[in-house]
Structures are given as C-alpha cells and as structure tokens.
C-alpha cells in the first residue's frame, strides 16, 4: 500500500503489548492518537465490523469499516474523510529485541493526487506522534 505515508517504529515492548493498544479503539485518544477526540468499534475486531473516529477538526465523525484482520499481527480499516477514502494498515512484526510497528496509510478519491503532498505534510506529524506514543505506552 503506502502511496500516501508510512511510519515505522522499533520497540523493546512485545508485539502483544503493542497489539493490545492497537485493538483498543475506544482508548486511542488517550493512548496514542491525541488528534482524535473519540473512536469506537461497533463490534468485534473482524472483517466487516464498522466504527467511527472523531478528530479535533470541526468535522462530523468519520465512519470506517474493518477490511482485514490477522490476529496479533495486523489489521486494516478504510474510512471516509470528506470526499477522500483513507485506508489504514497497522502491523506488528516480531523482532529479535521486541517489535516493529508499521502504520501504512493510503489516500484515494477525487483530486487525491493533487492534494496528497499537502495532506502528507499535515498528516505525517500526527502519525509520527501517534507511533511515538504507541511505543511509549507499550513499553510501560
């Protein structure tokens, strides 16, 4: 995927510790996504389950659908933000010293190619901060 932005962090925390934070959607705003005010998964973490996120921007909450799950390793979801479709892939990969965390995000829709460079400059710092907070919380 990754035509929009990708971020990677290495941590000595276990993949189990990282995974538990990644799947606790309702706690995302408190643990690693402070750019969100709320998030909810409307059922079990499985393909087809829906949910939503609410950003600090004055926009309505954004719905999403879980598109893939490989329990303990990765899960993906796709959501709408205005006229754009964002696809997220969160992965945990075991390493010799702990875990590698990968966030891979794509952006599609009308004019996505034209706005991708500007959107990347806005989104990348939020994603990088989220990854930093995620590995910090996982290591506790």
């Amino acid at each position: 995927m990754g035509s929009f932005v990708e971020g990677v962090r290495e941590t000595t925390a276990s993949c189990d510790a990282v995974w538990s934070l990644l799947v606790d959607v309702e706690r995302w705003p408190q643990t690693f996504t402070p750019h969100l005010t709320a998030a909810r998964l409307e059922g079990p973490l499985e393909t087809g389950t829906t949910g939503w996120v609410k950003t600090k921007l004055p926009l309505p909450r954004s719905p999403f659908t879980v598109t893939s799950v490989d329990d303990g390793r990765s899960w993906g979801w796709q959501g709408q933000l205005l006229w754009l479709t964002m696809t997220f892939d969160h992965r945990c990969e075991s390493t010799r010293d702990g875990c590698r965390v990968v966030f891979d995000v794509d952006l599609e829709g009308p004019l996505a190619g034209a706005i991708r460079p500007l959107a990347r400059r806005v989104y990348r710092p939020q994603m990088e901060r989220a990854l930093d907070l995620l590995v910090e919380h996982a290591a506790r």
Side-chain angles (χ1 to χ4, degrees):
M1 200 171 59
S3 65
F4 178 52
V5 67
E6 182 181 72
V8 178
R9 291 293 183 282
E10 301 276 339
T11 178
T12 56
S14 69
C15 280
D16 287 343
V18 173
W19 183 254
S20 70
L21 293 169
L22 286 176
V23 300
D24 192 356
V25 175
E26 291 186 18
R27 292 200 54 222
W28 283 359
Q30 293 80 40
T31 54
F32 71 95
T33 55
H35 59 279
L36 297 179
T37 59
R40 182 162 180 88
L41 186 62
E42 303 286 353
L45 181 62
E46 60 188 31
T47 302
T49 299
T50 60
W52 53 266
V53 296
K54 176 76 176 105
T55 70
K56 290 184 176 179
L57 299 173
L59 299 170
R61 63 188 192 185
S62 299
F64 70 84
T65 302
V66 176
T67 56
S68 65
V69 178
D70 183 358
D71 195 37
R73 298 185 56 158
S74 68
W75 76 284
W77 54 284
Q78 188 173 72
Q80 294 295 129
L81 180 62
L82 301 173
W83 66 92
L84 299 168
T85 299
M86 295 186 77
T87 304
F88 297 82
D89 182 32
H90 304 299
R91 295 190 305 273
C92 303
E93 303 166 353
S94 291
T95 64
R96 184 171 48 92
D97 298 320
C99 183
R100 166 187 264 162
V101 184
V102 180
F103 284 5
D104 194 358
V105 183
D106 202 0
L107 180 70
E108 295 296 328
L111 303 176
I115 69 165
R116 198 173 270 129
L118 174 61
R120 185 178 292 120
R121 277 184 263 150
V122 172
Y123 184 76
R124 179 174 285 288
Q126 291 179 358
M127 185 191 67
E128 296 291 344
R129 177 75 173 132
L131 281 162
D132 290 342
L133 289 169
L134 178 65
V135 298
E136 178 184 316
H137 276 88
R140 291 182 182 170

